[in-house]
């Protein structure tokens, strides 16, 4: 019943062994970690260690500094294409392309950032706590809401749920829906484009304050 039980093999002789392909990489002072899979077949592990984001490609040394971040803020990260995007509630949205860091949006802030249906989805700014924002299709740098949008343009949704509840988590499920959660409510955003996006609230009295508690 542990979260990592899928990485353990128990039927090949006495005792337990790691599943083939599973690698344990431990960063003792890391408070968050992400995996960034580049199209050149390089797999980066990125860890938030204090006020820095550090990257590693397999030796668990985390010797590559991606960027500095606010040591006192929640850092959210997600990859789209060959870019690793990250943000917090102090700095804007930035991305790392394995060689340099570029500001994607100086004003977009938040605590939640996920990749879903070839878009980035962000939530959690204190000024707009019930909004979920979607970037342009296949472009994590464009978040501008236009008056006459096409189906690939950015979008913004105001979630329902319990009165006064704020967003605490976004989760991309294997069933094709983007799950949003507050501390006392949850629901989903379904669809593939602006033509058929749909926001649904499933409960106004059940939710979570802990993003890591969500599992398929």
């Amino acid at each position: 019943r542990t979260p990592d039980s899928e990485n353990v093999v128990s039927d090949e002789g006495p005792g337990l062994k790691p599943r083939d392909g599973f690698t344990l990489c431990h960063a003792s002072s890391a408070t968050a970690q992400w995996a960034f899979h580049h199209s050149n077949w390089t797999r980066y592990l990125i860890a938030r260690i204090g006020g820095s984001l550090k990257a590693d490609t397999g030796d668990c040394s985390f010797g590559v500094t991606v960027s500095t971040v606010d040591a006192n803020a929640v850092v959210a990260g997600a990859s789209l294409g060959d870019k690793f995007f990250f943000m917090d509630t102090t700095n804007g949205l930035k991305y790392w392309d394995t060689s340099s860091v570029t500001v994607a949006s100086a004003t977009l802030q938040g605590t939640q950032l996920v990749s879903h249906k070839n878009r980035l989805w962000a939530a959690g700014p204190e000024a707009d706590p019930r909004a979920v924002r979607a970037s342009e299709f296949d472009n994590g740098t464009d978040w501008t809401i236009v008056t006459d949008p096409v189906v690939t343009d950015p979008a913004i949704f105001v979630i329902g749920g319990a009165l006064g509840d704020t967003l605490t988590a976004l989760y991309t499920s294997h069933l094709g829906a983007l799950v949003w959660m507050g501390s006392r409510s949850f629901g989903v955003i379904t669809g593939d484009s602006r033509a058929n996006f749909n926001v649904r609230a499933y409960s106004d009295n059940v939710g979570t304050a802990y993003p890591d508690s969500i599992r398929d």
Side-chain angles (χ1 to χ4, degrees), residues 86 93-97 100-105:
F86 57 96
L93 179 70
K94 303 177 181 180
Y95 68 82
W96 179 59
D97 61 4
S100 62
V101 171
T102 303
V103 176
S105 172

Side-chain angles (χ1 to χ4, degrees), residues 62-196:
F62 292 94
V64 177
T65 298
V66 175
S67 177
T68 57
V69 293
D70 186 343
N72 299 312
V74 175
V75 178
S79 58
L80 183 66
D82 283 344
K83 298 180 177 68
F84 176 75
F85 291 82
F86 57 96
M87 69 176 183
D88 55 40
T89 53
T90 303
N91 301 292
L93 179 70
K94 303 177 181 180
Y95 68 82
W96 179 59
D97 61 4
T98 73
S99 61
S100 62
V101 171
T102 303
V103 176
S105 172
T107 58
L108 184 66
Q109 300 175 353
T111 58
Q112 302 295 319
L113 186 67
V114 297
S115 180
H116 178 66
K117 299 295 180 68
N118 289 92
R119 297 173 186 258
L120 287 181
W121 299 73
E126 294 181 1
D128 205 357
R130 297 177 72 95
V132 178
R133 290 173 169 79
S135 74
E136 182 184 12
F137 179 81
D138 211 24
N139 180 7
T141 65
D142 185 2
W143 299 77
T144 304
I145 303 299
V146 297
T147 56
D148 189 18
V150 297
V151 294
T152 57
D153 278 336
I156 184 170
F157 306 93
V158 178
I159 59 98
L163 183 64
D165 203 7
T166 58
L167 282 163
T168 56
L170 292 179
Y171 183 74
T172 54
S173 73
H174 75 284
L175 296 176
L178 177 68
V179 179
W180 57 262
M181 298 198 83
S183 58
R184 295 177 290 117
S185 56
F186 82 99
V188 297
I189 298 176
T190 59
D192 300 300
S193 71
R194 287 189 62 110
N196 61 359

